[in-house]
Amino acid sequence: ANVAQIAADGIAPVASRRAEVLVDPFGILFQAGSGFALGAAQVGLFADVSASAPCPIPLLPGTGAVPNVDNGNPYTTDATGRFSFLPDPSALGAPGSTLTCYLMASKTGYLNRLIRIDALASPSSSVTSPVYALTISSADNLPLASPESFTLVPGPVAVSDVSALGFNVPLFPQGALVLLKTADRNHAQVGEAIGYRLRLFNAGAVPIDAITVQDLLPEFTDLVASASRLITAAGSAEIDPSISGRNVTFAVGALASGESVEIAYRLRV
């Protein structure tokens, strides 16, 4: 949103009306890490976390938001991984009206996703021209994507000034153990430190014991002493890695089915 002020000799300044630019009303399903779009994936909106009943949205033959022009629920993503849904403006359109629903996404070879969406109609919204703000939260302990980006973040994620329910969703290949690595910056000068996080998620049906994680440190970097932490649902504790040359090994231990942990450490350039 933006407001301009107009002035001229002999005339008092006049502020323009508030202008709003809506974000593209579709999201993209993509493979986490690579950013590859995932077509032919199933996406549905549900009324509760059990995904037992569909979220009520109107069928709009030919007049829905691109690419889901019929506003079907569920919807199969197109070749570029895109999807979109239009809420019922009579239920979510008046300023301050709200809607909570759950998005489930699935594709063969990937972990199913379950994501909570809290939608709030903006102050400038109306039944004829709805505008929403979305708060997106992970209901499956897997990362989300930054708005209009393929960058993975833990969430929640806030998206404002949208006219449909659509946002980028990362899917993770199936496997007993999912490992994600992120950094808190892209560049660093000599003497500066970079923070890294290794996130482990047990996507299998049984516990996994005696897990170790080995990371190869880039050249011209050194591990910051006493800065490595193991972060679990119970809290954070120091973890002491073993070092052999440029290989750093963290002993994680056991992960129950559905459990996730993070290893945070810092490297100095």
Side-chain angles (χ1 to χ4, degrees):
N2 196 9
V3 176
Q5 191 173 70
I6 306 169
D9 290 344
I11 301 176
V14 177
S16 68
R17 296 184 64 184
R18 176 185 172 92
E20 290 186 337
V21 178
L22 298 184
V23 178
D24 288 338
F26 61 80
I28 297 175
L29 258 65
F30 67 96
Q31 179 175 295
S34 70
F36 293 142
L38 297 175
Q42 191 88 337
V43 187
L45 286 182
F46 295 90
D48 54 43
V49 70
S50 67
S52 58
C55 190
I57 62 173
L59 189 63
L60 302 170
T63 60
V66 174
N68 187 4
V69 294
D70 294 329
N71 210 33
N73 183 26
Y75 175 75
T76 301
T77 58
D78 65 10
T80 59
R82 299 185 305 169
F83 72 94
S84 62
F85 297 100
L86 286 179
D88 186 348
S90 65
L92 181 68
S97 55
T98 62
L99 173 71
T100 295
C101 56
Y102 291 82
L103 180 142
M104 177 176 280
S106 60
K107 182 176 174 65
T108 302
Y110 292 84
L111 299 176
N112 291 342
R113 294 303 316 263
L114 185 63
I115 297 170
R116 174 171 170 152
I117 306 169
D118 291 291
L120 172 66
S122 303
S124 59
S125 181
S126 67
V127 173
T128 56
S129 299
V131 182
Y132 314 117
L134 308 179
T135 300
I136 304 159
S137 308
S138 173
D140 54 18
N141 295 318
L142 290 174
L144 301 171
S146 294
E148 299 183 85
S149 167
F150 298 145
T151 301
L152 301 181
V153 295
V157 172
V159 182
S160 59
D161 296 333
V162 294
S163 57
L165 303 185
F167 48 89
N168 292 351
V169 177
L171 295 189
F172 299 85
Q174 284 181 343
L177 199 59
V178 178
L179 174 63
L180 302 171
K181 182 178 180 180
T182 59
D184 63 5
R185 60 198 304 180
N186 295 323
H187 303 90
Q189 304 293 328
V190 174
E192 294 181 333
I194 305 173
Y196 288 91
R197 283 183 179 250
L198 301 173
R199 181 170 186 178
L200 286 165
F201 175 70
N202 180 4
V206 297
I208 302 176
D209 298 322
I211 299 171
T212 61
V213 180
Q214 187 178 90
D215 200 8
L216 179 63
L217 304 185
E219 292 187 353
F220 311 114
T221 63
D222 294 299
L223 188 69
V224 177
S226 302
S228 301
R229 311 288 295 178
L230 180 66
I231 304 168
T232 68
S236 173
E238 186 174 342
I239 184 171
D240 188 21
S242 61
I243 303 173
S244 176
R246 306 213 65 78
N247 290 305
V248 177
T249 302
F250 299 93
V252 175
L255 274 182
S257 175
E259 186 180 9
S260 63
V261 299
E262 288 188 359
I263 300 168
Y265 64 95
R266 299 185 68 79
L267 301 182
R268 194 170 302 281
V269 180

